């Protein structure tokens, strides 16, 4: 895992005045009070109501930040689409848990907390929806495990996308670092007398 990024005010590294100024300028570009960038919404987002709502919400919250340009619109659209899929997955998990009667099992488990024993298979089957056979219960639990795994993978991908788009604090500082390095003059550029 990379080390935490510091802003220029908290840096202890010795930088030249040009490097420090380039770093400060790059940091100012990702802070509020900058020009508004108009991103073009990809077509596949416009057709998905939930992803479209995330698109509008994110752009509204990013107003005044100079983080993204039109080249980033596809990546932001993918991020919004993943947010919508995450919400759908959470809804499916909730519906499946209701179908399994997990809420009743959790409540029964709280009542038995004094015993500190795990729920037996029979107790689990009895706590499930009464219209489910043991095979249907096993299949539903398998689906629940699959959905939970997909949700975890989506959440990991969402964090990676957010980091790359500069939607996290460390992501914004990393973008500022990269901009500062790109803007800083190369101090040893003329060592060979060219």
């Amino acid at each position: 895992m990379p080390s935490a990024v510091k802003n220029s005010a908290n840096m202890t590294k010795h930088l030249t005045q040009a490097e420090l100024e380039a770093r400060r300028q790059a940091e100012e570009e990702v802070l509020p009070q900058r020009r508004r960038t108009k991103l073009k919404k990809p077509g596949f987002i416009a057709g998905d109501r939930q992803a479209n709502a995330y698109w509008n919400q994110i752009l509204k919250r990013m107003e005044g930040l100079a983080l993204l340009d039109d080249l980033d619109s596809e990546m932001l659209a993918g991020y919004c689409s993943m947010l919508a899929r995450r919400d759908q997955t959470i809804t499916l998990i909730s519906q499946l848990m209701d179908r399994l009667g997990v809420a009743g099992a959790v409540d029964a488990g709280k009542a038995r907390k004094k015993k500190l024993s795990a729920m037996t298979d029979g107790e689990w089957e009895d706590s499930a929806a009464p219209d489910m056979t043991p095979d249907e219960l096993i299949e539903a639990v398998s689906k629940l495990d699959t959905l939970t795994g997909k949700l975890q993978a989506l959440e990991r991908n969402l964090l990676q996308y957010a980091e790359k788009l500069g939607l996290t604090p460390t992501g914004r500082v990393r973008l500022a670092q990269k901009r500062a390095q790109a803007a800083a003059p190369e101090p040893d550029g003329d060592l060979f007398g060219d």
Side-chain angles (χ1 to χ4, degrees):
M1 178 184 240
S3 61
V5 180
K6 297 180 181 179
N7 69 12
S8 60
N10 296 332
M11 291 183 66
T12 57
K13 179 180 173 184
H14 298 289
L15 298 176
T16 66
Q17 190 62 32
E19 291 172 329
L20 189 58
E21 187 57 37
R23 176 68 184 261
R24 284 188 187 131
Q25 183 179 3
E27 286 176 2
E28 288 175 5
E29 289 177 3
V30 295
L31 296 175
Q33 312 305 328
R34 293 288 166 208
R35 70 190 182 334
R36 182 173 182 211
T37 304
K38 181 69 173 164
L39 296 177
K40 183 179 177 185
K41 186 184 305 185
F44 71 92
I45 287 293
D48 184 351
R49 186 179 57 84
Q50 203 168 16
N52 189 34
Y54 276 118
W55 174 276
N56 293 332
Q57 179 186 21
I58 290 170
L59 287 184
K60 182 179 178 184
R61 289 171 44 204
M62 288 180 59
E63 192 169 322
L65 294 177
L67 288 177
L68 305 175
D69 59 18
D70 199 41
L71 292 173
D72 300 317
S73 63
E74 291 291 327
M75 182 177 260
L76 180 60
Y79 178 73
C80 294
S81 180
M82 280 194 294
L83 285 170
R85 277 185 289 172
R86 180 204 58 191
D87 291 349
Q88 292 167 352
T89 304
I90 289 171
T91 301
L92 287 173
I93 288 172
S94 177
Q95 290 172 352
L96 190 54
M97 289 178 72
D98 288 345
R99 170 98 168 101
L100 287 171
V102 173
V106 172
D107 293 339
K110 287 180 185 175
R112 291 181 302 106
K113 191 172 186 178
K114 294 177 185 174
K115 292 182 188 178
L116 295 176
S117 62
M119 191 181 250
T120 65
D121 290 340
E123 290 173 331
W124 174 257
E125 290 173 5
D126 291 341
S127 70
D131 59 340
M132 293 180 78
T133 65
D135 289 337
E136 290 174 334
L137 180 63
I138 291 170
E139 183 180 341
V141 170
S142 175
K143 288 179 182 177
L144 182 62
D145 286 343
T146 301
L147 284 173
T148 304
K150 287 183 178 185
L151 179 62
Q152 289 173 341
L154 269 171
E155 289 172 342
R156 276 191 303 272
N157 287 339
L158 283 168
L159 287 173
Q160 289 173 351
Y161 266 68
E163 182 77 22
K164 299 290 184 197
L165 287 167
L167 301 177
T168 63
T170 55
R172 286 189 294 276
V173 173
R174 284 192 198 289
L175 286 173
Q177 272 184 328
K178 287 180 182 178
R179 288 180 183 171
Q181 288 173 351
E186 196 172 321
D188 301 330
D190 61 347
L191 284 179
F192 295 105
D194 291 340

